[in-house]
Amino acid sequence: MRSRVTSFRVRSAPPCGGHSWQSILAFVLFPAFAHAESKEADKLFDQGKALMKDGKFADACPKLEQAEKMDPGVRNELWLADCYERIGRTASAFKQFILAEQRAVSLNDERDKVAHKRARSEERRVGKEGRSRWSPD
């Protein structure tokens, strides 16, 4: 009985033009994951917006925060800033309006003017609160 030796060739470079199958799979699947996350962010945004319209700002802010983390953008930043303003988180609102303004400017988005105006308004309020809280008077 004769034993048969089968040889195989070991390739030093991965197949597919130098890309591993994992990187190709990630490239193919990433848009699907990004789309699913974007849909979830839109769902959270819609829930937060509905809660704000019902006057439930304390419940709306966490939804809008999650939406902003999942899908950062001018729309989410502006709504989150507005929500913070309505629950008295003036410094957080100011910061969020500034972020929205910066993003809008970088995207040449016309909402930069709204964000700028609201940020200046919050800046005055933050300044007044700071002076009244820490002034020696």
Side-chain angles (χ1 to χ4, degrees):
M1 206 180 215
R2 234 166 140 179
S3 75
R4 212 170 184 181
V5 176
T6 309
S7 67
F8 59 93
R9 191 169 133 191
V10 176
R11 299 175 90 173
S12 59
C16 304
H19 300 287
S20 70
W21 66 271
Q22 293 98 338
S23 63
I24 292 170
L25 186 62
F27 180 76
V28 170
L29 293 179
F30 179 75
F33 289 127
H35 181 69
E37 190 167 272
S38 179
K39 281 187 135 196
E40 180 63 24
D42 284 343
K43 180 181 169 186
L44 288 165
F45 173 80
D46 290 341
Q47 291 171 354
K49 186 176 172 181
L51 287 166
M52 283 187 69
K53 287 185 178 188
D54 290 341
K56 299 177 181 177
F57 305 111
D59 295 330
C61 288
K63 302 275 187 191
L64 295 170
E65 286 169 353
Q66 287 179 298
E68 169 57 20
K69 284 179 187 171
M70 294 174 84
D71 188 20
V74 177
R75 173 193 75 169
N76 291 348
E77 288 169 343
L78 286 173
W79 277 85
L80 180 57
D82 188 52
C83 192
Y84 284 155
E85 180 183 42
R86 291 173 187 260
I87 62 171
R89 291 181 57 185
T90 309
S92 296
F94 172 64
K95 178 183 173 189
Q96 206 62 47
F97 281 126
I98 292 292
L99 292 173
E101 179 184 8
Q102 290 171 343
R103 186 181 305 270
V105 166
S106 73
L107 297 171
N108 201 24
D109 185 319
E110 61 190 34
R111 292 175 287 185
D112 67 330
K113 292 165 188 59
V114 171
H116 178 79
K117 183 178 177 183
R118 299 285 304 272
R120 296 297 76 82
S121 173
E122 288 303 309
E123 183 178 35
R124 286 190 289 278
R125 293 168 85 195
V126 169
K128 286 178 185 176
E129 288 176 9
R131 282 191 297 276
S132 66
R133 219 182 280 162
W134 293 294
S135 66
D137 299 324

